[in-house]
Amino acid sequence: MCIDHSSSDASSASSAASSYLVFASLAVAVPCAALAALPTRRAYDTQVQASLTLSAALAYATLYSLVRRRGLRRLLYLDRLRHDSQDVRAGYVVQLAGSFRLLACFVLPCFLAHASYKVFWYCANRPFGGGAYRWWWNAAACALEMASWMYRTAIFFMACVLFRTICYLQILRMTGFARDFGQCADVAAVLRQHRRIRVQLRRISHRYRRFILYCLILVTVSQFTALLAATRPHAQVNLAIAGELALCSMSLVTGLLICLHSAAKITHKTQSITSVAAAWHADATINSLERDQENPRTPSKAFLQHQHAPASPFPVASASSGEESDDDESRSEDSVDTSRFASFHVTNISFQKRQALVTYLENNRAGITVFGFVVDRTWLHALFMIEFSLVMWLLGKTIGIS
């Protein structure tokens, strides 16, 4: 796709020039030439070309900025996989391999549908004439438009799938973190792992917040423009005329839904750790005499039973003394045996640490944010209601729905 600008050698200038040239040719020059040179104008061609070009420009600028600053390996967190478990590394390798198939699943059906529509339109209208010489012009124009559509759609879907892949890595980490939560014996280790994941989520949010926001605005404006054009008086809406507009709308909305679904999924996966920690804390508190999940050096149940056995109310002297001391024999039965409170003291410290961890997780909910707004189900519900209200307002102004 001529987007990788991570190399710093002498070939970086040539690769950057080729990248600019390909983008300017397929994303800008070909759509503008199609709008200006075609004698027969399509009904919704302006909205379609403007929407695809702006979405491709947004995705290209995002990918160019991210890859040029950090490189592809750092962007995909490949340099930090050595700190993760074997399950996380294996799952991420599978996800990276499947991301190309996922990209093909989105791009190829759109391209085949658009190619069928373009071939049908050029065969039916023949904008450059029907002679033998004009036939080549029609074929060349059709091929260039299909290549332009393929390039712009692929770049937009590539940015969305790349964001989904990076979010899936964090989902793998949170899944392994939640699975091993009850087996971890150190609250400090749990806290460090959660802070590490939270820092990475903050970095991902900072890198993609502009892309998600501008993509949301662009898709909203393009869809409302298409709806306004399709509901105007005497507008002709059928598959032959508005098929390209419907395909463009489905492509943009699908890409936006990929980003929102990935962001909401990792947000709720991260926030569900609070319930896991609360359950772990409750289980450890109830079964504190069975086993201490925070400190494995807590005395076992057998040792505690041996301590509480009524065999002798006095502490036993060490074996190296050989005989009992006079001070121990003269100790009264009313004296407090501090060794019996050792298990309670350790359990109390463990309880305080676990309670502090649960409180920290409740007040530090991590996730994907867009300029401070957490992308979760509540945010998506509010966004849906705003979009739905705008659609009903527009339909009320155009076709009279009240």
Side-chain angles (χ1 to χ4, degrees):
M1 299 296 295
C2 300
I3 304 177
D4 189 7
H5 299 275
S6 58
S7 60
S8 58
D9 52 1
S11 61
S12 61
S14 60
S15 63
S18 61
S19 175
Y20 299 146
L21 181 61
V22 170
F23 177 79
S25 301
L26 294 179
V28 180
V30 173
C32 293
L35 290 175
L38 287 179
T40 305
R41 295 291 300 274
R42 293 184 287 265
Y44 304 100
D45 198 25
T46 303
Q47 291 89 345
V48 171
Q49 301 300 336
S51 300
L52 287 178
T53 300
L54 291 177
S55 63
L58 175 61
Y60 181 85
T62 302
L63 294 175
Y64 174 80
S65 175
L66 294 176
V67 174
R68 185 177 179 84
R69 291 180 181 178
R70 297 168 180 87
L72 192 58
R73 292 184 59 86
R74 290 183 57 192
L75 181 62
L76 294 174
Y77 290 97
L78 297 179
D79 56 334
R80 297 183 178 272
L81 284 179
R82 63 181 182 272
H83 302 295
D84 296 304
S85 62
Q86 183 64 31
D87 295 337
V88 174
R89 291 196 295 266
Y92 195 47
V93 168
V94 173
Q95 180 64 24
L96 283 175
S99 62
F100 295 99
R101 293 191 295 268
L102 181 64
L103 182 63
C105 290
F106 286 119
V107 174
L108 288 181
C110 294
F111 174 73
L112 293 177
H114 182 261
S116 302
Y117 176 80
K118 285 296 183 184
V119 171
F120 167 77
W121 189 86
Y122 272 91
C123 292
N125 294 276
R126 295 180 182 180
F128 295 102
Y133 179 73
R134 299 292 182 180
W135 182 82
W136 288 101
W137 279 99
N138 292 325
C142 181
L144 286 176
E145 285 203 73
M146 287 190 295
S148 175
W149 178 283
M150 178 75 173
Y151 178 79
R152 289 179 291 177
T153 308
I155 281 188
F156 180 68
F157 277 120
M158 182 184 295
C160 299
V161 171
L162 186 64
F163 176 73
R164 179 185 180 274
T165 303
I166 297 174
C167 288
Y168 190 80
L169 173 61
Q170 308 303 321
I171 293 176
L172 289 175
R173 289 173 174 171
M174 295 305 301
T175 303
F177 180 55
R179 183 177 60 250
D180 300 335
F181 199 93
Q183 303 175 0
C184 187
D186 189 6
V187 173
V190 174
L191 188 59
R192 287 194 299 268
Q193 181 69 12
H194 185 268
R195 285 179 175 175
R196 173 172 172 261
I197 296 176
R198 189 184 179 195
V199 167
Q200 292 181 358
L201 289 177
R202 188 183 299 113
R203 292 175 179 174
I204 295 174
S205 302
H206 183 74
R207 294 172 184 177
Y208 282 94
R209 59 183 181 179
R210 291 184 177 85
F211 175 74
I212 296 177
L213 179 61
Y214 294 155
C215 181
L216 178 62
I217 296 175
L218 175 62
V219 172
T220 301
V221 172
S222 65
Q223 296 311 298
F224 277 99
T225 303
L227 183 61
L228 184 61
T231 55
R232 70 182 188 275
H234 308 293
Q236 297 181 0
V237 180
N238 53 51
L239 185 61
I241 297 177
E244 191 175 16
L245 179 63
L247 188 59
C248 173
S249 300
M250 287 188 294
S251 301
L252 296 181
V253 172
T254 302
L256 177 62
L257 291 180
I258 291 174
C259 296
L260 295 180
H261 176 265
S262 302
K265 188 174 182 180
I266 182 58
T267 298
H268 285 280
K269 182 69 70 172
T270 307
Q271 293 179 354
S272 64
I273 293 296
T274 304
S275 61
V276 176
W280 170 71
H281 177 39
D283 180 72
T285 303
I286 295 173
N287 303 297
S288 59
L289 296 180
E290 297 291 338
R291 58 185 177 90
D292 189 4
Q293 300 206 16
E294 190 272 340
N295 193 345
R297 292 174 295 180
T298 303
S300 60
K301 180 180 179 181
F303 181 73
L304 293 176
Q305 290 176 352
H306 176 72
Q307 280 190 326
H308 290 279
S312 175
F314 304 106
V316 180
S318 60
S320 60
S321 61
E323 58 182 3
E324 296 179 354
S325 63
D326 297 335
D327 295 335
D328 291 336
E329 290 178 350
S330 62
R331 181 178 299 176
S332 64
E333 294 183 358
D334 295 335
S335 62
V336 178
D337 189 1
T338 57
S339 62
R340 298 189 181 185
F341 295 91
S343 61
F344 171 78
H345 178 65
V346 174
T347 305
N348 189 30
I349 294 176
S350 177
F351 176 85
Q352 292 176 357
K353 289 183 179 180
R354 293 194 304 266
Q355 183 63 38
L357 177 62
V358 174
T359 305
Y360 168 79
L361 293 177
E362 289 177 350
N363 294 278
N364 293 272
R365 296 181 177 271
I368 301 298
T369 59
V370 178
F371 293 99
F373 295 95
V374 181
V375 183
D376 54 0
R377 291 190 181 95
T378 304
W379 189 81
L380 293 181
H381 292 164
L383 178 64
F384 172 77
M385 293 307 300
I386 293 174
E387 298 280 351
F388 184 75
S389 300
L390 291 176
V391 168
M392 297 304 296
W393 174 80
L394 183 61
L395 292 178
K397 295 296 183 181
T398 55
I399 61 178
I401 293 180
S402 59

